[in-house]
Amino acid sequence: MYLAIREMRFAKGRYALIATIMVLVAFLVLFVTGLAQGLAYDNAASVKNMTATHFVLEQNSNHRFTRSQLNQNQLEQARLAVGEGNAEPLGVKMTTVIPAGDTKKVDVTLFMVNPDGWLSPTVSEGSSISEQQVGQVMVDRKLSESGGQLGTIIEDQASGMQWTVSGFVENESFSHSPVVFLNKQDWLTLQTKSTAPQGAESAENPVYNAIALKNTSSDQIENIVKALPGTEVITKSEAISAIPGYKEEQGSLVMMIAFLFVISAFVLAVFFYVITIQKTSQFGILKAIGTGTAYLAKSVALQVLVLSVGSLLISVLVVQAFESILPATMPFQLGFSTLALTCISFVVMSLAGSLFSVWKVARIDALDAIGRTAA
């Protein structure tokens, strides 16, 4: 430790340059990680916030809510299997609405939930919806940025239905669009208007997209599968992964993060390898006077550890400062667990990058190095 710290104090400029590069790389790793987490949450916040653990969907729907259709009889069968209070109907429909008095169109996702059920979110401003109030909806706060305020009437472009915004909810988005929560009566009316030309459905035959389940055992899930032919039960994580664009978006960002880790390890390995080559004669002399290879290897590893930890501390402070000035519309989320895991991974990759230099130190021959110096 003495040798490592003394050398770093002696060659401040050289190690400051390495530290600067590591700060930049660590900042990039943390920022992209926060962006990936923010985008993931923004894409599936409504599903992630649900207390549901499983969903019943129609078979061959590729785990997508919008491709599944279930009826009232299937809902009642599911409730018989898991209990009345552990199964809730869920309707999902992506559409476009226009706030009254405005010409700007906004893409939203309609969620039909039971206002008194456990799928209904907590309202943060205004009032919640009820089963008796027709034409009232709760909307995600992001809709206020597009002109939707309390009391604003929004019109569905496809059906022509109009709803009044009665309350705001927080962090409820689906596929990057704000969610509009409506009750069963408005959902049935919407279905009637949407299918009126074909006359295939009516208010007496409601169609849901999924049945949300909670507190279910494996035996109960097997009973549902047996009782509801033509359906499948999926987990919440499978439902999230099936949201359009979710896997592709996260796959690209995870690939970027992985490459950043590899690049940081490679850059550090190159820097320390060059430094080690430059100090071959000094290492040879130290070995000749009895300094062990393990001591020299620990010295190199300690320098990498000090640089990587110090760079991470600075990068975390910079990222937090950067996060405070980011616009609210930019999804960014870097929780403590994600931050800790990223920092640990960065340190591990940095130490892995130093192994090449340690290997070089171990191969230095004292007599050869001294002879080269004398020559």
Side-chain angles (χ1 to χ4, degrees), residues 330-341:
M330 187 170 185
F332 187 88
Q333 195 175 65
L334 194 60
F336 177 77
S337 58
T338 304
L339 179 64
L341 182 62

Side-chain angles (χ1 to χ4, degrees), residues 109-367:
T109 303
L110 303 177
F111 269 31
M112 186 287 297
V113 296
N114 177 11
D116 300 321
W118 45 267
L119 283 183
S120 182
T122 303
V123 66
S124 61
E125 184 181 356
S127 58
S128 181
I129 58 175
S130 67
E131 200 57 60
Q132 292 73 34
Q133 289 181 317
V134 179
Q136 302 285 318
V137 293
M138 295 185 299
V139 302
D140 180 63
R141 176 76 66 179
K142 284 197 300 187
L143 194 64
S144 63
E145 298 164 6
S146 303
Q149 303 297 328
L150 290 178
T152 298
I153 297 175
I154 56 176
E155 180 177 336
D156 178 32
Q157 181 178 259
S159 65
M161 288 187 66
Q162 294 184 334
W163 304 294
T164 303
V165 177
S166 67
F168 283 117
V169 293
E170 305 294 336
N171 301 321
E172 294 291 348
S173 55
F174 183 85
S175 193
H176 296 303
S177 64
V179 172
V180 175
F181 292 90
L182 62 162
N183 62 20
K184 183 178 177 180
Q185 292 191 52
D186 284 320
W187 178 255
L188 294 176
T189 305
L190 178 66
Q191 286 184 339
T192 303
K193 287 180 176 292
S194 301
T195 58
Q198 290 77 27
E201 301 292 344
S202 67
E204 287 74 28
N205 297 304
V207 175
Y208 310 113
N209 296 100
I211 299 172
L213 306 175
K214 71 172 185 177
N215 300 328
T216 52
S217 63
S218 56
D219 291 338
Q220 289 175 323
I221 291 175
E222 289 181 8
N223 291 337
I224 290 178
V225 173
K226 291 177 182 176
L228 301 176
T231 65
E232 60 182 345
V233 180
I234 64 172
T235 62
K236 182 194 280 191
S237 59
E238 289 175 328
I240 291 173
S241 297
I243 293 175
Y246 184 88
K247 281 196 297 187
E248 294 78 3
E249 182 181 88
Q250 289 301 301
S252 302
L253 291 169
V254 169
M255 183 74 73
M256 287 174 60
I257 294 170
F259 272 112
L260 284 174
F261 274 120
V262 174
I263 289 170
S264 63
F266 182 76
V267 168
L268 201 63
V270 170
F271 268 107
F272 273 87
Y273 184 69
V274 171
I275 291 174
T276 302
I277 291 176
Q278 291 175 340
K279 296 188 301 183
T280 300
S281 57
Q282 289 91 329
F283 282 133
I285 294 172
L286 287 171
K287 281 190 171 182
I289 61 177
T291 306
T293 301
Y295 181 83
L296 297 176
K298 288 179 183 176
S299 176
V300 173
L302 182 63
Q303 287 178 346
V304 174
L305 184 64
V306 170
L307 285 175
S308 57
V309 172
S311 303
L312 274 173
L313 290 175
I314 297 173
S315 300
V316 169
L317 294 176
V318 174
V319 166
Q320 289 182 341
F322 205 74
E323 183 181 0
S324 63
I325 61 173
L326 286 176
T329 54
M330 187 170 185
F332 187 88
Q333 195 175 65
L334 194 60
F336 177 77
S337 58
T338 304
L339 179 64
L341 182 62
T342 306
C343 290
I344 292 172
S345 302
F346 187 84
V347 172
V348 171
M349 290 298 291
S350 299
L351 290 174
S354 70
L355 291 178
F356 199 46
S357 298
V358 172
W359 173 77
K360 181 64 179 176
V361 169
R363 288 178 58 86
I364 292 175
D365 182 77
L367 294 177

